[in-house]
Amino acid sequence: MADYDHRAIEQKWQAHWEAANSFATPANRTRPKFYVLDMFPYPSGNGLHVGHPKGYVATDVVARIKRMLGFNVLHPMGWDSFGLPTERQAVREGLSPQEVTRRNIQTFRKQLQRLGLSYDWQRELATSEADYYRWTQWIFLKLYERGLAYQAEAAVHWCPAQGTVLANEEVLDGRYIETGDPVEPRMMRQWMLKITDYAESLLAGLDSLDWPEGIKAMQRHWIGRSEGASVQFRVAGSSAQISVFTTRPDTLFGCSAMVLAPEHALLAQLVTDEQRAKVADYREKTARLSERERIAGAADDEKTGVFTGAWAINPINEQRVPIWIADYVLSSYGSGAIFSCPAHDERDYKFARKFDLPITPVVAGGNIDEGAWTGDGEHIHSGFLNGLNNAEAKARAIGWLEENLCGSRQITYRLRDWLFSRQRYWGEPIPIIHTATGPVPVPQNDLPITLPELDEYKPTEDGDPPLSRSKSWVSATTSDGVAGLRETSTMPQWAGSCWYYLRFINPKLTDRPWDSVEEHYWMPVDLYVGGAEHATLHLLYARFWHHVLNDLGMVSTREPFVRLFNQGMVYGDSYRDAAGRYYYRDSVHQNKEGSWVTLDDGRPVTTRKEKMSKSRYNVVNPEDICETYGADALRLYELFMGALEDNCDWETRGVAGCRRFLDRTFRLVTQGSLTREPIQDREVERALHLAIQGVVESLDTLKFNTAIAKMMTFVNVATRARRLHAQWLEDFLSILSPFAPHIAAELWQRLGHEESLEQRPFPVFDENKVRSEVVTLAVQVKGKLRGTVEVASGASQN
Ligand code: ANZ
């Protein structure tokens, strides 16, 4: 039995859709809207593998069903095209980042188009295009005007080899995670965005979102709100005061030391001559650690630290306590200083054990030989707090501190301001001119400040951004005619993705970033699908900008993405030898004993399922799959492999299975015995309506795999039937078309229809059709189960 010709059919329909502009976003505003968005890709040099389109296929199914249900659908695609990897690829290939980006985008677009995704390509955008980043710069200026963008001398991780600062998250053991290049601490003047002003707002907004709980929890943790108190300690024999932040003011009576971050500003004036050398030495050692390492190390048993020689006075009982420095206290959190309460804090406990500090329990319940007691309990050895539980004692302690003017209630966040400048070339120029009197924003009408084409765009060794090489570009005049120099740092990779979903609303507008009437109609994004790796950075940054834009009255919703869904990852077979070297599938084979070995020298390899990636040599190219099995089979398999949110193993056999289902469908429609006479077949109709129900429900649950299974059942049942009503198959093609649009369009046409399948009303689920024909009744005699009988579901009582 000849299989259907997927190449011809898919090409034909893709050409048809393009010519007919079938997926253009409708201009009418009379129908309800649905905005379904993918996290747009970074167009890397590797192109797509079959793990990437899983989410794209899912959103495409949703977009297509919603259109058929009568919604105006906005379903766009674009490119997050600024960033470091492109610059590195350009260096390797001796091309400009512009050229590399153009080429990579073409590859990606071609790969996506081959899948028959129903994007409105008229709205395609790239964040590295001047008519896009012009508005990224414009939003930056809005932030600047609001006081939310500022410059500060910041302690940063400087990577000489990469010629740029790196974020905390990018540094481990003093090295850049990606390349292993050493990183050194440096104080540098940097642009910062005041995301901390929005900590409360970003927390509050989470409650209203239909997002995976895990992602919301990660954002809450990242923002890290802590309620507690600040407490002022006097320094003995000095007029200085040191403020500490604590979440446990109730344990002040158990304080046995004060511990400062080694970077603490008051340290220099406290430290005694005797301790000065030790303190300086410790400080220098700490400077080599990233904040992340310090946070990780805080849980370690082995604590380090140095006594400063100075003493502080605990305000609650006037006791003298030694002042230490230790790396588990972070300079950027709270006030960079703590009071140490070893009996009730694990880190303090280990610290006290190491350095022989007193451990005085002030909350009953623990045993100081075993560790810190962090639970609730009656307060003891605590003066006026004795007898109270933790919550009561906290409130009482804060009251006392406030009355005695040595402390107050305080809320602290773990969230830091966002370091927003990079000393790299391939990013948005920051639209600021530095003059003798300070930074001056570029007037809006002068935007965009375009990125000049440079012959030499590699980072400089001394940290001067590459843009500083273009003297003609750097010298500028403000609108008041004052001479100055342009800011030469660029924005980080994350900037462009902070607002692209707004630009998709009017990507071609030249005098505004978006039109507010249109924004009202389309926002918020109804469904946003992408990888879970964006749980914090992108999704937090974008929410931050959106909250600011909302405060500026420029967007109508507080939150940009009401529903978020994370698709799982795709795992492929990897082959690795004992030395850890990876091999391609076609350079290994199974020997006679059934073990996997390399083809050339028979070296044993182990096979494993690992996350698909080029570096593991286990990627499968979607174009190859489209060539052999067709885009429709690939699309089905992407969703059939498992639940959308689960990680799944790629099995090319599975694509073949989906392909066989499509072949059966093709035969059913082209060779089945169809009629338009009224006929009945309860079994076929039941299978059909179960499938309709499955597809409709999958819109909310996104459980496409079960919907596909029901469609497969229908085809099996229908294949067994002697005669079929044409309308059953037409209904079936309607529900199949979001998943396998090419073959569905083709078969619909072959059934003699000229108008497109998408114009046909979506089949309506009929509950009566899915009632089982028989129901099982229990037969009880005198209360005991004696057996069951099967009766027709419509049978009468008798
Ligand atoms: C005294 C105390 C006693 C504390 C006790 C805890 C238990 P979260 O929940 O993370 O906000 N802390 C304050 N500033 C710090 C800094 N810059 N670096 C490291 N640790 C710091 O934790 C707040 C607690 O972490 C604070 O409460 C403080 O230790 C410590 F039985 O103060 B606590």
Side-chain angles (χ1 to χ4, degrees):
M1 178 72 52
D3 292 337
Y4 79 97
D5 181 352
H6 61 269
R7 286 184 209 92
I9 288 176
E10 292 177 358
Q11 251 174 34
K12 165 182 162 185
W13 287 100
Q14 287 176 13
H16 170 81
W17 293 327
E18 198 184 331
N21 208 1
S22 302
F23 309 118
T25 315
N28 77 72
R29 293 294 167 259
T30 50
R31 297 213 225 160
K33 68 95 182 181
F34 196 81
Y35 187 174
V36 48
L37 182 67
D38 295 295
M39 290 185 189
F40 66 162
Y42 177 79
S44 80
N46 302 333
L48 294 170
H49 63 61
V50 293
H52 298 118
K54 195 163 148 164
Y56 304 155
V57 174
T59 52
D60 197 58
V61 168
V62 171
R64 285 173 178 270
I65 300 178
K66 281 284 181 183
R67 281 192 205 103
M68 292 168 91
L69 288 173
F71 286 78
N72 283 339
V73 170
L74 176 54
H75 185 42
M77 183 41 95
W79 318 105
D80 190 12
S81 46
F82 267 138
L84 241 142
T86 299
E87 223 182 278
R88 276 201 236 115
Q89 189 192 354
V91 172
R92 271 199 310 276
E93 300 190 18
L95 296 169
S96 72
Q98 282 83 349
E99 283 170 282
V100 168
T101 300
R102 223 170 288 134
R103 202 187 55 198
N104 289 353
I105 287 178
Q106 266 165 24
T107 308
F108 267 66
R109 191 194 299 111
K110 192 170 131 260
Q111 284 186 306
L112 289 184
Q113 284 176 339
R114 180 110 198 230
L115 297 175
L117 299 168
S118 66
Y119 293 121
D120 178 356
W121 285 106
Q122 307 287 322
R123 293 179 186 239
E124 177 182 359
L125 57 79
T127 56
S128 59
E129 296 289 335
D131 57 7
Y132 179 87
Y133 69 68
R134 161 185 192 174
W135 301 109
T136 311
Q137 294 173 331
W138 183 86
I139 297 173
F140 175 86
L141 292 179
K142 295 283 165 210
L143 293 166
Y144 183 79
E145 283 162 22
R146 277 229 140 189
L148 293 169
Y150 65 98
Q151 283 180 285
E153 203 68 34
V156 295
H157 300 288
W158 172 253
C159 179
Q162 293 295 323
T164 187
V165 300
L166 296 170
N168 271 325
E169 295 77 17
E170 295 168 316
V171 178
L172 191 70
D173 290 328
R175 291 176 179 279
Y176 178 28
I177 292 178
E178 291 241 340
T179 58
D181 297 318
V183 168
E184 51 195 48
R186 243 198 214 187
M187 290 302 283
M188 278 177 71
R189 208 164 167 70
Q190 296 287 325
W191 284 95
M192 312 285 285
L193 296 190
K194 233 183 199 166
I195 190 171
T196 51
D197 270 14
Y198 279 75
E200 259 328 297
S201 170
L202 290 168
L203 265 184
L206 285 175
D207 297 334
S208 67
L209 299 178
D210 179 7
W211 284 22
E213 279 310 316
I215 304 275
K216 291 208 251 183
M218 281 168 81
Q219 293 220 343
R220 287 195 187 101
H221 177 78
W222 192 268
I223 297 167
R225 181 183 202 271
S226 284
E227 266 183 56
S230 64
V231 186
Q232 259 65 256
F233 281 60
R234 277 171 288 131
V235 176
S238 136
S239 60
Q241 288 210 353
I242 300 176
S243 165
V244 302
F245 171 70
T246 178
T247 45
R248 297 292 307 274
D250 58 308
T251 64
L252 263 171
F253 284 96
C255 164
S256 53
M258 167 176 268
V259 187
L260 310 185
E263 304 88 343
H264 199 281
L266 287 178
L267 187 57
Q269 89 184 63
L270 297 175
V271 65
T272 58
D273 291 340
E274 250 180 351
Q275 297 298 96
R276 198 172 300 276
K278 276 193 199 147
V279 165
D281 182 50
Y282 186 78
R283 231 181 113 117
E284 198 188 303
K285 278 202 194 106
T286 320
R288 278 183 235 132
L289 300 174
S290 74
E291 184 158 294
R292 185 186 255 215
E293 291 169 283
R294 282 170 64 175
I295 292 169
D300 290 356
D301 286 342
E302 201 52 35
K303 286 275 162 295
T304 60
V306 175
F307 177 44
T308 62
W311 295 75
I313 297 171
N314 182 352
I316 213 146
N317 57 8
E318 295 292 317
Q319 248 184 34
R320 274 163 57 97
V321 292
I323 305 179
W324 286 67
I325 58 170
D327 63 8
Y328 76 93
V329 179
L330 307 172
S331 61
S332 50
Y333 188 63
S335 63
I338 65 163
F339 81 79
S340 164
C341 180
H344 304 293
D345 181 275
E346 280 303 336
R347 297 168 301 177
D348 296 346
Y349 182 85
K350 289 169 187 159
F351 191 72
R353 279 264 178 251
K354 173 88 188 270
F355 296 110
D356 260 338
L357 297 166
I359 302 178
T360 316
V362 291
V363 183
N367 174 345
I368 58 161
D369 294 326
E370 285 165 16
W373 170 246
T374 55
D376 201 356
E378 186 181 317
H379 279 59
I380 51 175
H381 312 303
S382 290
F384 62 92
L385 300 178
N386 281 340
L388 303 179
N389 69 22
N390 292 10
E392 294 161 347
K394 262 183 218 174
R396 184 75 65 85
I398 293 176
W400 186 92
L401 291 166
E402 288 180 343
E403 273 160 38
N404 291 277
L405 304 177
C406 50
S408 58
R409 206 176 97 84
Q410 197 191 322
I411 293 166
T412 293
Y413 301 90
R414 192 171 291 122
L415 187 67
R416 308 288 148 69
D417 278 346
W418 174 12
L419 194 148
F420 198 69
S421 39
R422 299 288 183 273
Q423 292 66 46
R424 297 295 299 219
Y425 170 68
W426 194 231
E428 300 86 348
I430 293 177
I432 293 284
I433 299 171
H434 297 278
T435 69
T437 54
V440 176
V442 169
Q444 282 181 23
N445 293 338
D446 291 357
L447 299 181
I449 300 303
T450 47
L451 192 61
E453 302 235 355
L454 294 188
D455 292 334
E456 181 53 284
Y457 55 83
K458 272 183 256 175
T460 65
E461 246 167 55
D462 55 6
D464 240 9
L467 282 176
S468 61
R469 293 201 184 99
S470 175
K471 300 289 175 236
S472 59
W473 183 84
V474 170
S475 77
T477 337
T478 68
S479 50
D480 298 335
V482 180
L485 301 174
R486 283 194 197 288
E487 170 64 53
T488 50
S489 309
T490 52
M491 299 187 199
Q493 164 90 76
W494 309 104
S497 56
C498 272
W499 73 283
Y500 73 111
Y501 55 92
L502 287 167
R503 187 63 177 170
F504 276 136
I505 292 171
N506 306 98
K508 306 244 158 70
L509 268 191
T510 51
D511 61 339
R512 282 158 298 162
W514 58 84
D515 174 80
S516 73
V517 174
E518 295 281 289
E519 185 277 328
H520 256 267
Y521 179 73
W522 285 113
M523 285 301 287
V525 173
D526 298 282
L527 176 65
Y528 193 28
V529 176
E533 68 276 13
H534 295 296
T536 43
L537 298 172
H538 159 60
L539 285 170
L540 198 64
Y541 294 153
R543 292 184 60 223
F544 163 47
W545 281 32
H546 200 83
H547 284 211
V548 176
L549 293 171
N550 181 237
D551 283 343
L552 289 167
M554 288 167 41
V555 295
S556 55
T557 67
R558 190 67 181 167
E559 290 290 336
F561 318 118
V562 282
R563 183 170 186 204
L564 173 74
F565 200 89
N566 298 123
Q567 87 268 12
M569 278 181 304
V570 172
Y571 285 61
D573 293 304
S574 66
Y575 303 87
R576 205 147 59 129
D577 67 16
R581 255 195 62 155
Y582 284 103
Y583 294 85
Y584 286 109
R585 172 66 188 85
D586 53 13
S587 52
V588 296
H589 74 140
Q590 254 175 322
N591 65 15
K592 279 196 238 83
E593 291 79 49
S595 339
W596 287 92
V597 294
T598 60
L599 271 176
D600 49 358
D601 60 1
R603 185 192 307 232
V605 290
T606 50
T607 92
R608 285 207 298 168
K609 295 285 183 197
E610 288 187 272
K611 191 181 163 239
M612 221 176 247
S613 81
K614 198 169 168 156
S615 61
R616 296 191 183 94
Y617 289 19
N618 66 345
V619 296
V620 176
N621 185 336
E623 285 172 290
D624 295 343
I625 299 293
C626 287
E627 192 54 33
T628 315
Y629 300 96
D632 283 336
L634 174 61
R635 291 171 60 110
L636 274 174
Y637 181 62
E638 290 281 354
L639 299 180
F640 191 56
M641 324 183 195
L644 185 58
E645 67 267 41
D646 290 346
N647 296 338
C648 297
D649 295 336
W650 174 267
E651 304 283 359
T652 302
R653 266 180 293 146
V655 189
C658 287
R659 170 59 199 243
R660 280 195 298 277
F661 159 62
L662 293 177
D663 286 330
R664 278 199 298 277
T665 303
F666 198 84
R667 288 196 291 267
L668 180 68
V669 178
T670 54
Q671 295 159 24
S673 157
L674 305 190
T675 173
R676 293 206 178 264
E677 309 275 291
I679 56 166
Q680 268 209 334
D681 184 328
R682 289 202 61 125
E683 207 198 345
V684 172
E685 287 178 274
R686 180 163 186 270
L688 174 65
H689 279 268
L690 283 173
I692 295 172
Q693 183 189 30
V695 169
V696 171
E697 280 176 359
S698 70
L699 262 187
D700 288 323
T701 60
L702 305 187
K703 291 196 193 313
F704 301 110
N705 51 336
T706 55
I708 293 170
K710 287 175 184 165
M711 290 195 282
M712 291 175 167
T713 306
F714 167 78
V715 170
N716 290 341
V717 171
T719 302
R720 285 197 302 266
R722 209 170 45 81
R723 277 194 337 147
L724 294 168
H725 199 287
Q727 201 201 318
W728 299 340
L729 290 184
E730 289 165 356
D731 281 352
F732 176 69
L733 291 178
S734 281
I735 61 170
L736 176 67
S737 72
F739 297 84
H742 311 85
I743 189 174
E746 177 69 21
L747 290 174
W748 175 251
Q749 192 181 52
R750 290 194 190 197
L751 286 177
H753 298 286
E754 278 178 12
E755 86 286 16
S756 85
L757 180 53
E758 283 83 27
Q759 259 125 50
R760 181 175 191 261
F762 204 66
V764 178
F765 166 61
D766 180 352
E767 182 146 16
N768 289 319
K769 298 267 199 268
V770 304
R771 283 223 196 96
S772 180
E773 287 189 20
V774 290
V775 289
T776 305
L777 291 182
V779 180
Q780 285 189 336
V781 180
K782 293 195 180 130
K784 287 217 175 92
L785 186 67
R786 292 295 177 195
T788 57
V789 288
E790 306 218 314
V791 295
S793 64
S796 71
Q797 187 79 34
N798 289 334

